[in-house]
Amino acid sequence: MEDDFSRAVEDGLKLSKRLVLPGGAAPPWPPAGMDRYGAPEAASLLPVAPMAYAVVADPAAVDSPDVPSYQPHVYGRLNPPALIPLQMREVDLRVDCAAGCATAEVTLRVRWWVHCITRSRDCDCRVVVPMGEEGSILGADVTVGKRSFNTHVTDVDDNSAVRIAKTEGGGLLKRQFFSLTIPKVVGGEDIFATIRWSQKLLYDNGQFSVDIPFRFPQYVNPLPKLFTKKEKIQLTVNSGVSKEVLLQGTSHPLKEKSRQAEKMRFLHEAVVENWSIKDFTFAYSVYSGDVSGGVLVQRSTLRDYDDRDMFCIFLLPGNKQNRKVFKKAVVFIVDKSGSMQGKPIENVKNAISTALSELAEGDYFNIVTFNDELHSFSSCLEKVNERTIENAINWMNLNFVAQGGTDIMHPLSEALALLSNSHDTLPQIFLVTDGSVEDERNICQTLKTELTYRGSMSPRISTFGLGSYCNHYFLRMLASIGKGHYDAAFDTGSIEGRMLQWFQKASTTIVANISIDATKDIQEFEVDCEYIPDMSAKYPLFVSGRFKGELPETLYAKGYLSDMNEISIELKVQHIKDIPLDKVLAKQQMDLLTAKAWLSENKQLEQKVAKLSIQNGIPSEYTRTVLLQTVMEKIDPAQQGKQKPKKQSSLDQPSATPLHGLTLGFGNVAATTENLTSGFGDTKAPEKFEMFGKAVGGCCSHAADCCCCMCFINTCSKMNDQCAIVLVQVCTALSFLGCFECCSQLCCGGGGGSD
């Protein structure tokens, strides 16, 4: 899908050469990242900032809306259509960071201009927004002329509110790219868009940071003499603690506007010559010498699906370096079924090799691989030293061969048996898989019984999902039952990095068996997860839930250190109004509730997830997200927020278009059984039409790109009869060679060429 998108943008940039902008200037062209034919590299064409594209199927529609270029007419149609990046006139970015929940809510307001379509024609326009770490769309509103489009979440079974069309209005281009298609936009019109999403704050060595894709390519800059480019960035940081907050750095020149207790406001507003060419980043740290934390509390509202109050507990590991990490006995369980072939299994092997090198003296480890059969590096836990680590890496190089089916219960049972004698260490299981199996609910119930029987030092189970064919809610629930951590990678390029972060978070435990002393004067106190995970030395811990009653001014989190001494952490309770906890925590709560609903097959929990989804406008497994269109009475952009949509009859009301790919689903057992390898968005098996495209492409197509219709017509008009005969013979010979190459590609598979 990424390659298809990049090829469409490349075709669009070639088409944009036909444009003649006001003043006779040529459209901007990418200055770097070119291949040998002069076209931009595919990787450089994926959006690294919010972008809008004109979807062009008819090249004859491409022209400047204000100053016609009188280019020669182009016959034929483009299939698939080309994507021409639209020029941007204004951008306003607002970021609200809630450190106590490790979440940032981002609101983007942007204005694009359809500069590449003549005013007598129209085209669809596609908006693509890359989101940051674990980004989740919260809503989108787009206004074009008198039409207004907005995302709307409805119940799956509710067919009365909207009439769903069969066409698709967008979704996710890939996991972190939200896409939206606006139909029939007339050339020269402005597109006003407001898009909201949430993403996780990053944390590293005591430092919080937010990173938002904000690198605009040169070709979206309109001419500076004709248009004034206004860039505005607003940032609000709520640290959630009364301790000193140290600013560590920012990518853009922000000015501090105010600072009140835990809340700080910053602003950047300027008229710029060119749009931002770097991502927006902001970093700060909260000084804490030792483990600390707090409790954020929000009262329930009338619109809330639950009448209980909401809380979020956060624990920060602090800057104290003498906190010892638990000694650990680690068992890696790795899926090596046939669907893992290629980049996935290679990246997993590299990540585990690095993780083994990070184990400390005194730790123990083993590696178990599974498909239809089970293979172990050793029959028992091996002590960490240079020799055993080297032997393990050599064993992986020989045995990490993707083939066979998927059986998850057998290797988990083997790992539990290996950890029955964990040598006075904290036992940990790390499961990596890309598939689904039919007995997942039975696995969860069996392991829950076994871990409960083993007590407080039972093995911790952390899970990692690869691609879209595994059941991520099963993996999330298994990690919750096992007091471990869950993570996932949806493209092959991110597997190694995300796996290492996941391993470091789970393997650097400094406080285990955490409990909250909240039984006094409280009728109910329920956390969203099954059990509270252990606390890592490198990452903060966040636990949300609901309660009924009155919380005291101070709560205490209790747990055990590596020397088995008890620790008590004081948590001050803060009743907040500036942070909308219900919205900030909605995505996390929905994921945990969906995992519980899947495991228990409880319809009431499913309805609760659906209500939470509709209330906050967040996609879920039990709702659907559509793009609704209304007609506005006025078209003045300054008055758009005050306008009311016209009431239309049911016959005139346009149907809603569905947005697909916004949720994960519950795995694909059939694809796992067949060992399909396209669970990642960036890998797919070659097909016949792709071979055909390669056969008819190549140097001839690139040579043709260098010629225009008018040059060819002028040349032919001055050619005598003898030259014309020679030209026809040459073209016939080239056509024969092209057909021969095409047939060889289709029949022989291309002979293993470099393509």
Side-chain angles (χ1 to χ4, degrees), residues 467-528:
S468 59
Y469 289 160
C470 59
N471 186 349
H472 291 272
Y473 295 105
F474 158 65
L475 297 176
R476 187 184 294 274
M477 177 53 64
L478 191 58
S480 182
I481 291 173
K483 296 184 180 180
H485 298 271
Y486 156 82
D487 207 340
F490 295 95
D491 56 87
T492 54
S494 65
I495 291 176
E496 191 170 345
R498 295 200 70 88
M499 277 191 65
L500 288 175
Q501 291 180 7
W502 165 70
F503 176 76
Q504 291 171 354
K505 180 185 294 186
S507 64
T508 56
T509 302
I510 57 175
V511 182
N513 298 323
I514 298 175
S515 62
I516 307 298
D517 184 12
T519 58
K520 301 176 182 178
D521 304 323
I522 302 177
Q523 300 174 13
E524 295 180 27
F525 190 86
E526 178 186 1
V527 296
D528 293 326

Side-chain angles (χ1 to χ4, degrees), residues 9-18 29 38-40 701-702 705:
V9 176
E10 181 181 344
D11 292 340
L13 290 173
K14 291 177 181 178
L15 270 179
S16 65
K17 292 181 178 180
R18 293 172 50 85
W29 186 253
S701 65
H702 287 286
D705 288 337

